[in-house]
Amino acid sequence: MKILVPVKRVIDYNVKVRVKSDNSGVELANIKMSMNPFDEIAIEEAIRIKEAGSADEIVAISIGPDKAQETLRTALAMGADRAILVKTDQEVEPLAVAKILNAVVAEENPEIVLMGKQAIDDDSNQTGQMLAALLSWGQGTFASDVKIDGSSVNVTREIDGGLETVKLNLPAVITTDLRLNEPRYASLPNIMKAKRKPLDEKTPNDYGVDISPRLTMLKVEEPEGRSAGVMVESVSELVSKLRDEAGVL
């Protein structure tokens, strides 16, 4: 079985995001970038499935600038077998990403597309669902547990009311949640081996996908600062403030 794992290069989650002075977007110059944390979890889960003997190849794919090679090399160092970079310097919206992945799936024929539920830069949470629709595949989103069962997969999902387990016939699209696993660190020997693993370069035109934006970013602003809390002397004073000042009761 082959597993395709899309990964995205984003601002490192430890970095404080800054808005550009002209409010046109987020400052990316001289900022540490890394793999989207949800995608790290997807890579780790794919490796665990392979280690359990249920998969024989993991293909990592990223859509972005040339520097996205670093993200793919990280995936290869963690345990992916080979990688594909769809190179573009243009911002690619979720629908265009889904269309590119749809074309890659037609070429690679994986049984599972395992991906993060969302990217921490735009928080769109759309690509996996759009891809499943384009492929007409079953989907298991917000996965906190994945178990392969022959030609099907059982996915435990994080939902508002608790947990839900669904059984999907393969092939399927699965998007990962934070509680699925703890990603491993790439060891130095594996980092060195990753440099020799194959990494193919493509463009959106190779897949016949138009990535022209459908949305226009009008303005980006930082949220307003939070006001300081207030100490109250009694429960009745708290209830009074919640009712009369906050207006929540």
Side-chain angles (χ1 to χ4, degrees):
M1 181 171 70
K2 183 188 294 186
I3 303 175
L4 181 70
V5 186
V7 297
K8 187 177 184 181
R9 179 176 181 263
V10 299
I11 297 176
D12 189 90
Y13 69 92
N14 289 311
V15 173
K16 179 176 173 57
V17 176
R18 300 195 307 272
V19 175
K20 291 181 179 178
S21 58
D22 61 359
N23 295 107
S24 63
V26 173
E27 185 61 62
L28 298 178
N30 302 314
I31 297 294
K32 181 183 178 183
M33 308 290 283
S34 61
M35 187 188 301
N36 178 48
F38 291 103
D39 298 339
E40 273 192 304
I41 292 169
I43 285 285
E44 174 65 26
E45 192 64 22
I47 295 167
R48 294 186 184 191
I49 292 172
K50 182 180 177 183
E51 289 174 343
S54 297
D56 49 28
E57 186 178 26
I58 301 168
V59 182
I61 178 170
S62 188
I63 302 167
D66 191 59
K67 288 185 177 180
Q69 286 193 36
E70 300 169 9
T71 305
L72 287 171
R73 291 295 178 193
T74 299
L76 292 170
M78 289 176 68
D81 298 294
R82 59 187 177 90
I84 302 169
L85 173 61
V86 182
K87 190 185 295 186
T88 176
D89 292 323
Q90 185 175 328
E91 189 71 26
V92 186
E93 295 174 356
L95 180 58
V97 173
K99 288 181 177 179
I100 291 172
L101 293 177
N102 181 43
V104 173
V105 167
E107 190 174 86
E108 293 287 337
N109 293 313
E111 280 71 33
I112 296 177
V113 177
L114 190 57
M115 59 198 302
K117 69 172 185 177
Q118 64 195 74
I120 62 172
D121 53 0
D122 58 19
D123 276 335
S124 291
N125 186 9
Q126 296 175 339
T127 304
Q129 293 89 328
M130 289 177 171
L131 176 61
L134 291 172
L135 291 168
S136 295
W137 286 7
Q139 58 179 300
T141 54
F142 318 126
S144 62
D145 188 59
V146 176
K147 286 186 170 59
I148 306 296
D149 182 15
S151 61
S152 62
V153 56
N154 294 319
V155 178
T156 301
R157 305 178 60 237
E158 302 268 350
I159 60 174
D160 292 340
L163 299 175
E164 175 187 64
T165 301
V166 296
K167 185 173 184 178
L168 309 172
N169 292 325
L170 296 177
V173 176
I174 301 172
T175 69
T176 61
D177 213 330
L178 284 173
R179 279 161 288 279
L180 180 57
N181 61 51
E182 184 72 28
R184 69 193 65 190
Y185 288 101
S187 65
L188 182 58
N190 286 339
I191 291 172
M192 300 305 293
K193 291 177 184 176
K195 295 179 179 179
R196 298 191 296 272
K197 290 183 178 180
L199 193 159
D200 297 329
E201 292 188 5
K202 302 278 189 176
T203 68
N205 288 335
D206 291 333
Y207 296 108
V209 177
D210 179 12
I211 61 172
S212 300
R214 295 167 176 260
L215 305 175
T216 301
M217 185 73 71
L218 300 179
K219 193 176 186 182
V220 177
E221 295 179 306
E222 291 191 18
E224 294 183 5
R226 299 178 67 178
S227 58
V230 178
M231 296 292 292
V232 295
E233 298 295 332
S234 65
V235 173
S236 59
E237 184 184 355
L238 172 62
V239 173
S240 176
K241 286 184 177 292
L242 290 174
R243 182 181 62 244
D244 302 330
E245 297 180 18
V248 296
L249 293 178

